[in-house]
């Protein structure tokens, strides 16, 4: 429940951090990890596809999965949660958006300087020499569910091109992590939206914010336990974010 004191905290906040996980994009039709593997992909464990060992063992299988995900994102539109987050930036002195998502739906909703802790589906690079590779933006050719696709080759060293996402066992991009951590430790309100909170170190950010005395709010349709100092708003990200904005800032339409 959005209490009046929570609405007031948000209204008076100097620096808000919005921290998003896959659930923030769920209403745009981008599957979360839990329901990522539909159809033929059900045969695979996402954690098994999201490692450099998986890529090296079967580049076409791994690349095919990421191409399927990239095309789903290209065909998707930002949802009410992405728009409410972009709108919030104009209501508070400072807003930092830190996402675990590898899509670009925050940017397409109007958020700026989004911190991508886990990289992006849209910035692939050579697995051997690291050179960036440009992919076509065509959204019409959604690869078939479960397709194997041979990855492109690097124009510099002819190594395989790999997705620009952070895989399990890899370091987070240093700049993104330090900006995210500093924001979590400095903010007075921290909104954690649509994340299961099990992927570390990202999941540490709400704890850091709480440790520094911020008001921490979790938004998720699936109830989970939070400490007595934290707030839990149960419901879909779009509905809860729009209600939060309405409660805190009045009845302005969210663009
Ligand atoms: P997760 O899949 O582990 O958890 C998603 C969470 O979202 C769950 O707690 C679920 O209950 C919640 N959720 C579902 N629908 C929701 C809605 N409408 N509103 C709010 N919450 C909703 O995802 P995670 O915590 O982000 O961590 C897993 C990893 O998966 C991350 O590293 C992320 O990079 C990656 N991932 C990214 C995307 C994407 O970029 N869109 C999609 C799938 C997975
Ligand atoms: Zn190369």
């Amino acid at each position: 429940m959005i209490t009046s004191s929570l609405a007031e905290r948000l209204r008076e906040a100097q620096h808000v951090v919005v921290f998003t996980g896959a659930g923030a994009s769920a209403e745009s039709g981008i599957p979360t990890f839990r329901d990522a593997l539909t159809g033929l992909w059900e045969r695979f464990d996402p954690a098994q596809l999201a490692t450099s060992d998986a890529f090296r063992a079967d580049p076409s299988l791994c690349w095919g999965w990421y191409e399927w995900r990239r095309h789903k994102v290209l065909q998707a539109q930002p949802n009410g949660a992405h728009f409410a987050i972009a709108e919030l930036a104009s209501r508070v002195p400072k807003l930092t958006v830190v996402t675990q998502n590898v899509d670009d739906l925050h940017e397409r909703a109007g958020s700026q300087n989004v911190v991508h802790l886990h990289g992006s589906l849209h910035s692939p690079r050579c697995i051997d020499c690291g050179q960036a590779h440009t992919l076509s933006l065509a959204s019409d050719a959604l690869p078939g569910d479960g397709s194997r696709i041979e990855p492109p080759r690097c124009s510099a060293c002819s190594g395989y091109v790999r997705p620009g996402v952070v895989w399990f066992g890899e370091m987070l991009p240093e700049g993104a992590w330090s900006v995210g951590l500093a924001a979590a430790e400095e903010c007075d309100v921290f909104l954690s939206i649509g994340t299961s909170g099990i992927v570390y170190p990202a999941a540490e950010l709400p704890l850091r914010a709480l440790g520094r005395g911020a008001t921490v709010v979790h938004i998720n349709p699936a109830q989970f336990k939070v400490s007595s100092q934290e707030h839990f708003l149960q419901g879909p990200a779009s509905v809860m974010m729009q209600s939060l904005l309405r409660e805190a800032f009045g009845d302005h339409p969210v663009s």
Side-chain angles (χ1 to χ4, degrees):
M1 190 182 118
I2 303 170
T3 59
S4 55
S5 71
L6 177 57
E8 193 182 332
R9 285 295 306 215
L10 184 58
R11 188 161 52 243
E12 288 174 0
Q14 293 302 305
H15 183 184
V16 177
V17 169
V18 167
F19 173 60
T20 57
S25 295
E27 293 166 79
S28 294
I30 309 296
T32 63
F33 256 11
R34 189 177 310 181
D35 39 44
L37 301 182
T38 53
L40 290 173
W41 288 119
E42 267 170 22
R43 291 174 294 154
F44 304 101
D45 173 357
Q48 304 271 305
L49 290 164
T51 67
S52 65
D53 283 351
F55 183 84
R56 291 191 187 275
D58 195 341
S60 302
L61 178 71
C62 183
W63 183 257
W65 187 54
Y66 280 96
E67 276 296 277
W68 174 73
R69 291 180 61 196
R70 187 174 71 88
H71 281 83
K72 279 201 97 68
V73 167
L74 288 172
Q75 291 177 335
Q77 298 302 326
N79 66 56
H82 298 109
F83 287 117
I85 293 163
E87 166 84 14
L88 183 56
S90 65
R91 303 297 176 100
V92 293
K94 184 171 180 191
L95 180 89
T96 308
V97 180
V98 182
T99 188
Q100 300 169 81
N101 294 344
V102 293
D103 61 46
D104 58 355
L105 297 176
H106 283 299
E107 286 89 345
R108 281 159 55 196
S111 287
Q112 289 175 357
N113 303 320
V114 178
V115 179
H116 280 272
L117 292 181
H118 292 162
S120 164
L121 289 169
H122 304 291
S123 54
R125 63 178 190 274
C126 172
I127 195 164
D128 292 326
C129 77
Q131 176 173 276
H133 180 87
T134 306
L135 288 170
S136 129
L137 283 176
S139 64
D140 47 348
L142 180 65
D145 200 358
S147 327
R148 306 169 77 90
I149 301 171
E150 165 110 5
R153 294 282 187 170
C154 169
S155 62
C157 77
S158 75
Y160 274 132
V161 169
R162 59 157 283 177
V165 303
V166 177
W167 280 327
F168 291 106
E170 293 183 329
M171 302 287 286
L172 304 195
E174 204 177 304
W177 176 244
S178 55
V179 172
L181 187 58
E185 294 193 325
E186 198 226 44
C187 70
D188 33 26
V189 172
F190 186 101
L191 305 176
S192 177
I193 306 172
T195 174
S196 54
I198 50 175
V199 178
Y200 278 84
E204 211 175 293
L205 294 182
L207 303 173
R208 295 293 190 109
L210 192 65
R212 294 293 183 107
T215 299
V216 174
V217 183
H218 299 271
I219 295 178
N220 203 304
Q223 177 84 53
F224 56 81
K225 256 194 149 42
V226 298
S227 72
S228 59
Q229 300 121 288
E230 295 165 273
H231 299 256
F232 188 88
L233 302 179
Q234 188 170 10
S238 63
V239 174
M240 297 321 295
M241 278 307 292
Q242 290 178 3
S243 309
L244 197 53
L245 256 76
R246 205 164 42 241
E247 294 297 322
F249 304 104
D251 220 349
H252 299 284
V254 173
S255 52

